[in-house]
Amino acid sequence: MLFIKGEKGTGKSHLVRWLKSQLGARTTWHIVYIEKRNTSLRRVTEKILAGINTPKARQLRQELERASSEIASTEEAVSALLARLDHLVAFDSASEIRGLSGMSAAELTDLRRKTHRLLGDYTFRTVLSRTDGPVHRIVRLARGGAEPSEAIDEADLHLTEADLQVDPSVFDDLGQELQSLVGSLVSNRHLRTDIATLCDWYLPRAKAEVFMGQGTDLLSVFEDVRAEIAARGQELCLLIEDLVLLHGIDKQLAQALTIPASARLCKLRAAIAVTSGYLNSLDTFTDRGMQFTLDINLKTIGQTSLRDFVGRYLNAGRLSDTVLDAPASHNQSSAIPNACLSCEDQFQCHATFGASGDNYGFYPFNGAAIDRLVELASPGDFKPREILREVIRGPLESAEDELPSGGIFPSGQFARTLDDVRQSIPPGVRAAIRRINHSNAETELSLRAFYAQSPPNADPELQAVAAYFGTQLSPGIADDKDEQEETNDPPRNPQRQATSEIDQWANSVGQLTSPTANRIRRWICDAVITHLQNGPYGVAITKIKGSRPAWLIGSHTLRLSDVKIDRAQGGGAVDSPNPFHIKATDENAVLIQGILAAASGSSLDSVDQGRWFFYLQTRISNYASQLAHLATADVAALPATVQALEVLRYAAADPGQTVSTALPTMLMPPSPQGQNPVVGKFLQEVRSVREEALTIVRDHATAAKGTGKPSLFDVGPILRHIQSHLKARSVESEVSGEDRGSQLLRQLQTRQSRAAAQVWNDVARSVQNVRRFLDPAEDLGATFRVVDLLVRECHARGRLPRADSQERYEEVRNQVGAEAMETYRRLSTKIASEIGPGDLWDVLDDPLPQLTALGHFAQVTSELLASLERNLTATPVTEAVDTDALIREFRNLATLLDRASQEAL
């Protein structure tokens, strides 16, 4: 057995495929070829059983058919796999679990119990069963196989602790026991690891039983296969493109294949592709097979061989399918024809772009471009799949679209997935090229980044390539004099240069540190303040003392965090509503370099000849105008914000009806006990409205005062506005305008209308429910006295319908008081009139508990009286009527009712 091992993308499965093509047909070999594409567990087994007709093989085929017919969808397979896994975890008696060897028997039992509790819970199973989740991934590979171009990671076949990191809020409405267990799972990584290890131990067995059936011993079947092949006088040749596809039956197959050949069991030849980590988990295979590794370092292969590798595939791309298939169809081993030999541009093309040792041209690349693209696509180790995808297929697709137009290739789309920003070119140079080269800056950037020997300098080879593509390189971009010198040194594989903090920021590979970012923020804020102080804005500016610098500009506050820098630390967690935004671009990288140089005392033209400063001055001027507008805009917003505060003060039990009594509740309205939940939700929703309104009023009052500590008690400037809407309980008219105050007032109006409609709908339903049994005009006190006496007398005489009728009546009777009836009358009158948003405050205290209790009392009393009526009228007469006795009964009832009526009066 030969194991071809390596990491993903190293060409393991391609080598197995090549071996198969070289073997051809051999009469003395029984060849079983298991390809990666669309290979499910069932298909793997069917291929192994192909041509085998033993009883055990027939039985396994029947089990496969039955297991397949029982599972109709991926969702059903996920459910079946989890159920089987849960059963094995809970009831299997194994005392040794790989990965949990240091665990005692009691600890293992406890771990099984916890895992069973989780796997048995519907909600937890649902979380694990999500479409992008671990179990769905495992089932898809086992049931349907891999896609043709899919790279299967061994980790995709296992459950890990990361797969068990769930959102605890999903389990909030479940029992305390499960919530506690989920909380432990989320907070304890060791617990997650142990549970994942336990589940993963049983996962292969669960997969085999779900997808293969439980009625057949796979080990004995695979031995039968070898016995049948031996009886035919053949050897078994097993070719497997990826061993991970056999996860679930791999251990049984390994045991069957590693039994030494004998007179009964055939000899075995096998070539099996497998990732290095996965092979280590199969001790039996590791001990019995040879291992051939494809993990090869790029330096070991060397620059020349890598260029030759790319050159051969470039040559293949220039040939037709007929030519490519010809050697294979005739079983020839000769090399694929060289397409360059029949090209009339061969001499000029090879002189410009270069060629491999086999004389395959590099067009549309050159040697430097191949070196750089290979290094980016496959850093460190040789991964042919990534080289084919990222170096050959992707760039050639761009070339196919762009080359016919001329002067476009290589555009910004060229190798974008490998290096979007062209990191080998400093941001300042990138910005300069975009500023100078208006027609095809992205093409020049791609040429300098990938085709130059030492980016971004334009060496003779790069200039020749640019001329061939019809691209003009910008002069004076980089120091090219060193590259004009003749050199006999071979082209070197380009090494990435260390970059500065600013370059890394612009290249999207790093952040600006807090000290650097805050120096930039402070410099810009100082520049903005200076511009405001020396410009015709007419706003008062005061520096606010504190740990972080801030400036009060009229009624607006400028903070360092208002300067928002992408991917920069120290900016705070809250986004500014009016930011000075510095995006991570090449132009802004130059700007930042200029700011830092100026902050360090250098001249303004020390960076980019001072261009950055003139660009920044325009932005600062625009931002200063924006701040000046914000500083004065709150004056127009003041009436609306005061009105919003006046409406919201009605959340207080006593909102006040004069300026002096209303002002405290405008500032801090207390929340009454027993507050209506709908009103409470409304107040929570408009909390931001209230806070912003208070901020506007405070800032305006402070600005009007000129200097001094901000205070909400500087009421003078807003006195007139408070008096104008003192009686308003809602926003009574349509609100126009786009200033901050109007926007706040519209939010308040919409939310109050919605809350009032909701709460009064609930109240109306409750009032109507009580009205079915109780008239609002009824004297509840008199009703209590009459019904109380009637219930006591009927209970004493045994006339109540049930033994606990009196107890039930007294229970609901004690829950109702006179205030409940008064609330019922008031609300009945209210719902008969038109309800508006301002009526929200009439139900500030939740009336529903009182209405519910009153309705329950009325319903129980009504049902009790109806039962008494039916009891008296429905008594059957089974013997001769004793008229005298009946008269006495009626007299007693009349006396009882007379007495009750007199007491009621």
Side-chain angles (χ1 to χ4, degrees):
M1 285 189 294
L2 174 64
F3 294 100
I4 304 168
K5 69 174 186 176
E7 298 303 320
K8 290 189 302 180
T10 53
K12 304 181 297 297
S13 59
H14 287 272
L15 184 52
V16 174
R17 196 175 306 166
W18 177 83
L19 281 172
K20 179 179 180 296
S21 69
Q22 299 301 306
L23 290 176
R26 302 196 177 204
T27 57
T28 59
W29 288 10
H30 177 80
I31 299 178
V32 175
Y33 176 56
I34 300 175
E35 60 180 338
K36 182 189 300 186
R37 179 178 54 189
N38 298 328
T39 302
S40 63
L41 280 179
R42 177 182 178 180
R43 186 172 176 83
V44 169
T45 309
E46 288 174 341
K47 286 193 172 187
I48 295 174
L49 297 179
I52 308 299
N53 197 30
T54 64
K56 291 183 179 179
R58 289 193 297 270
Q59 182 183 359
L60 180 53
R61 288 193 182 95
Q62 292 173 357
E63 279 290 308
L64 290 173
E65 185 65 30
R66 183 191 60 78
S68 178
S69 63
E70 289 179 352
I71 298 177
S73 66
T74 299
E75 289 70 24
E76 189 174 355
V78 168
S79 178
L81 181 60
L82 282 173
R84 190 59 192 158
L85 187 61
D86 181 25
H87 180 85
L88 292 173
V89 165
F91 300 107
D92 187 69
S93 59
S95 58
E96 289 291 334
I97 305 294
R98 185 172 181 173
L100 300 175
S101 56
M103 188 172 289
S104 67
E107 290 172 332
L108 181 58
T109 300
D110 182 63
L111 183 65
R112 288 183 184 275
R113 180 189 62 79
K114 291 177 178 177
T115 308
H116 173 56
R117 181 67 181 90
L118 291 170
L119 293 178
D121 178 71
Y122 171 80
T123 303
F124 194 83
R125 282 197 188 186
T126 302
V127 172
L128 288 185
S129 303
R130 64 185 186 276
T131 304
D132 60 342
V135 182
H136 198 280
R137 174 190 69 220
I138 292 167
V139 164
R140 180 181 64 82
L141 292 173
R143 185 169 182 264
E147 297 297 330
S149 60
E150 182 177 5
I152 304 174
D153 192 339
E154 179 224 341
D156 291 343
L157 302 174
H158 297 279
L159 283 171
T160 66
E161 64 87 13
D163 295 326
L164 302 179
Q165 184 67 274
V166 299
D167 181 2
S169 64
V170 176
F171 304 86
D172 283 348
D173 58 344
L174 301 181
Q176 182 62 39
E177 177 203 1
L178 184 63
Q179 289 184 28
S180 176
L181 179 55
V182 170
S184 299
L185 184 74
V186 172
S187 61
N188 190 334
R189 184 174 183 179
H190 292 296
L191 178 60
R192 291 199 306 274
T193 301
D194 288 345
I195 291 178
T197 302
L198 180 63
C199 291
D200 201 58
W201 169 262
Y202 288 108
L203 185 60
R205 179 176 165 186
K207 285 172 61 176
E209 293 179 357
V210 169
F211 298 108
M212 308 287 293
Q214 304 180 37
T216 305
D217 181 1
L218 292 175
L219 177 59
S220 63
V221 174
F222 292 148
E223 286 188 39
D224 268 11
V225 171
R226 290 186 65 185
E228 175 70 14
I229 294 173
R232 299 173 181 176
Q234 292 181 310
E235 298 179 6
L236 173 61
C237 178
L238 187 63
L239 304 173
I240 301 176
E241 285 191 5
D242 201 330
L243 185 61
V244 298
L245 295 170
L246 278 65
H247 185 252
I249 63 172
D250 45 11
K251 287 183 171 59
Q252 294 94 325
L253 183 63
Q255 291 174 343
L257 296 181
T258 52
I259 297 175
S262 62
R264 190 179 72 86
L265 299 179
C266 70
K267 293 182 179 179
L268 170 71
R269 302 173 190 267
I272 304 172
V274 58
T275 58
S276 302
Y278 192 67
L279 182 61
N280 294 336
S281 66
L282 299 173
D283 298 334
T284 307
F285 270 15
T286 305
D287 296 338
R288 297 295 301 274
M290 297 174 59
Q291 298 182 23
F292 178 78
T293 182
L294 284 181
D295 292 333
I296 309 172
N297 190 274
L298 288 180
K299 292 182 179 179
T300 302
I301 297 177
Q303 182 189 76
T304 301
S305 296
L306 288 170
R307 289 183 177 184
D308 289 347
F309 173 81
V310 174
R312 286 193 293 272
Y313 274 95
L314 290 173
N315 177 67
R318 302 181 182 113
L319 299 171
S320 66
D321 291 345
T322 303
V323 175
L324 289 174
D325 290 340
S329 62
H330 295 88
N331 197 24
Q332 299 173 351
S333 59
S334 59
I336 293 176
N338 188 340
C340 294
L341 298 180
S342 59
C343 177
E344 60 185 16
D345 296 326
Q346 177 188 4
F347 178 78
Q348 182 184 2
C349 180
H350 284 202
T352 303
F353 295 94
S356 69
D358 298 321
N359 207 31
Y360 296 137
F362 291 151
Y363 177 84
F365 308 123
N366 66 357
I370 292 175
D371 296 343
R372 189 159 291 108
L373 291 170
V374 167
E375 182 190 16
L376 290 170
S378 180
D381 291 334
F382 177 62
K383 296 182 178 180
R385 181 192 299 153
E386 295 303 315
I387 295 174
L388 292 174
R389 178 187 294 119
E390 301 290 350
V391 177
I392 298 174
R393 185 178 71 185
L396 287 187
E397 287 176 350
S398 297
E400 186 177 12
D401 294 336
E402 297 167 0
L403 279 172
S405 300
I408 298 177
F409 179 84
S411 72
Q413 295 299 321
F414 178 81
R416 181 172 292 278
T417 57
L418 294 176
D419 184 9
D420 185 17
V421 299
R422 301 351 189 183
Q423 294 185 28
S424 56
I425 303 178
V429 176
R430 297 198 297 254
I433 291 174
R434 290 191 177 99
R435 186 175 62 245
I436 296 172
N437 190 343
H438 299 289
S439 58
N440 54 2
E442 297 304 319
T443 298
E444 180 175 351
L445 286 172
S446 294
L447 285 171
R448 288 182 180 269
F450 296 107
Y451 287 76
Q453 291 293 334
S454 298
N457 298 331
D459 53 78
E461 288 79 7
L462 173 60
Q463 292 175 342
V465 170
Y468 194 98
F469 286 145
T471 298
Q472 183 69 37
L473 299 178
S474 302
I477 291 299
D479 184 6
D480 300 334
K481 62 180 182 298
D482 293 335
E483 287 147 6
Q484 307 296 336
E485 300 174 359
E486 293 294 331
T487 176
N488 295 323
D489 295 336
R492 60 181 179 82
N493 195 27
Q495 300 294 322
R496 298 183 184 179
Q497 302 297 320
T499 55
S500 68
E501 178 185 357
I502 308 302
D503 288 357
Q504 290 179 340
W505 174 77
N507 291 338
S508 303
V509 295
Q511 290 185 320
L512 293 181
T513 61
S514 181
T516 300
N518 282 333
R519 288 185 69 194
I520 298 166
R521 296 184 180 106
R522 179 61 187 264
W523 194 92
I524 290 175
C525 286
D526 287 339
V528 169
I529 293 300
T530 301
H531 195 92
L532 285 169
Q533 289 174 331
N534 294 283
Y537 297 104
V539 292
I541 300 175
T542 305
K543 187 172 182 180
I544 302 173
K545 296 181 180 180
S547 58
R548 290 175 65 85
W551 297 262
L552 186 63
I553 305 170
S555 60
H556 179 79
T557 302
L558 173 65
R559 299 177 175 85
L560 285 185
S561 57
D562 289 339
V563 181
K564 178 183 177 183
I565 308 175
D566 287 351
R567 294 200 310 275
Q569 299 173 357
V574 180
D575 289 338
S576 168
N578 304 289
F580 186 98
H581 195 178
I582 301 179
K583 299 180 180 179
T585 64
D586 295 337
E587 292 76 11
N588 285 338
V590 176
L591 183 147
I592 286 176
Q593 289 173 339
I595 291 175
L596 293 176
S600 300
S602 300
S603 62
L604 296 177
D605 61 354
S606 62
V607 174
D608 196 30
Q609 299 178 339
R611 295 186 184 92
W612 67 271
F613 180 73
F614 295 102
Y615 162 72
L616 181 59
Q617 278 297 98
T618 302
R619 290 196 61 188
I620 286 177
S621 176
N622 294 336
Y623 191 62
S625 298
Q626 179 184 348
L627 295 185
H629 174 73
L630 292 172
T632 57
D634 289 343
V635 175
L638 196 61
T641 54
V642 172
Q643 184 180 355
L645 292 174
E646 287 183 293
V647 170
L648 289 173
R649 86 180 196 277
Y650 281 93
D654 181 10
Q657 297 304 318
T658 65
V659 173
S660 60
T661 58
L663 187 59
T665 52
M666 289 173 60
L667 303 182
M668 187 62 66
S671 297
Q673 298 296 323
Q675 188 179 80
N676 191 310
V678 177
V679 180
K681 180 181 178 183
F682 160 73
L683 292 176
Q684 185 66 28
E685 288 178 347
V686 297
R687 181 178 178 181
S688 60
V689 173
R690 174 182 180 75
E691 290 176 350
E692 188 168 356
L694 285 171
T695 301
I696 292 174
V697 172
R698 181 204 64 187
D699 291 345
H700 175 73
T702 304
K705 190 168 57 174
T707 58
K709 187 176 181 181
S711 171
L712 277 173
F713 295 101
D714 298 317
V715 73
I718 62 172
L719 178 61
R720 177 172 50 86
H721 301 303
I722 296 177
Q723 291 172 329
S724 63
H725 294 285
L726 198 57
K727 303 295 184 182
R729 302 192 338 145
S730 66
V731 183
E732 298 172 346
S733 59
E734 197 67 29
V735 182
S736 60
E738 293 301 324
D739 59 89
R740 290 172 66 191
S742 299
Q743 294 173 5
L744 293 177
L745 213 54
R746 275 196 295 272
Q747 291 183 46
L748 175 60
Q749 187 178 51
T750 301
R751 290 171 178 171
Q752 186 177 3
S753 298
R754 184 171 62 238
Q758 179 182 347
V759 74
W760 277 101
N761 283 338
D762 295 341
V763 169
R765 281 195 298 269
S766 295
V767 168
Q768 293 300 328
N769 185 51
V770 178
R771 194 187 291 270
R772 290 186 302 139
F773 306 103
L774 190 64
D775 190 287
E778 184 168 337
D779 185 344
L780 189 62
T783 300
F784 283 162
R785 290 192 295 272
V786 172
V787 178
D788 288 353
L789 180 59
L790 181 62
V791 169
R792 286 198 303 270
E793 291 293 339
C794 288
H795 177 72
R797 295 171 181 268
R799 295 292 187 176
L800 294 180
R802 293 170 40 178
D804 63 344
S805 292
Q806 182 181 25
E807 180 182 353
R808 185 180 177 214
Y809 166 76
E810 290 177 349
E811 180 181 353
V812 297
R813 159 71 170 83
N814 293 332
Q815 294 177 358
V816 177
E819 67 277 6
M821 191 66 187
E822 183 59 36
T823 299
Y824 171 48
R825 288 195 187 96
R826 177 175 60 83
L827 296 178
S828 295
T829 303
K830 190 71 177 180
I831 62 175
S833 61
E834 184 176 353
I835 302 295
D839 297 314
L840 176 69
W841 310 118
D842 291 332
V843 287
L844 191 60
D845 292 329
D846 191 3
L848 295 185
Q850 289 184 337
L851 292 175
T852 300
L854 186 61
H856 193 197
F857 162 76
Q859 181 179 3
V860 170
T861 303
S862 177
E863 291 173 353
L864 179 61
L865 294 176
S867 298
L868 285 173
E869 181 182 5
R870 288 193 300 271
N871 187 310
L872 292 174
T873 59
T875 302
V877 179
T878 58
E879 56 185 18
V881 177
D882 185 346
T883 306
D884 293 337
L886 185 60
I887 291 173
R888 286 194 301 272
E889 288 290 336
F890 274 110
R891 285 177 177 173
N892 290 337
L893 181 59
T895 302
L896 177 64
L897 293 176
D898 286 343
R899 188 186 307 160
S901 299
Q902 291 172 3
E903 291 181 0
L905 295 175

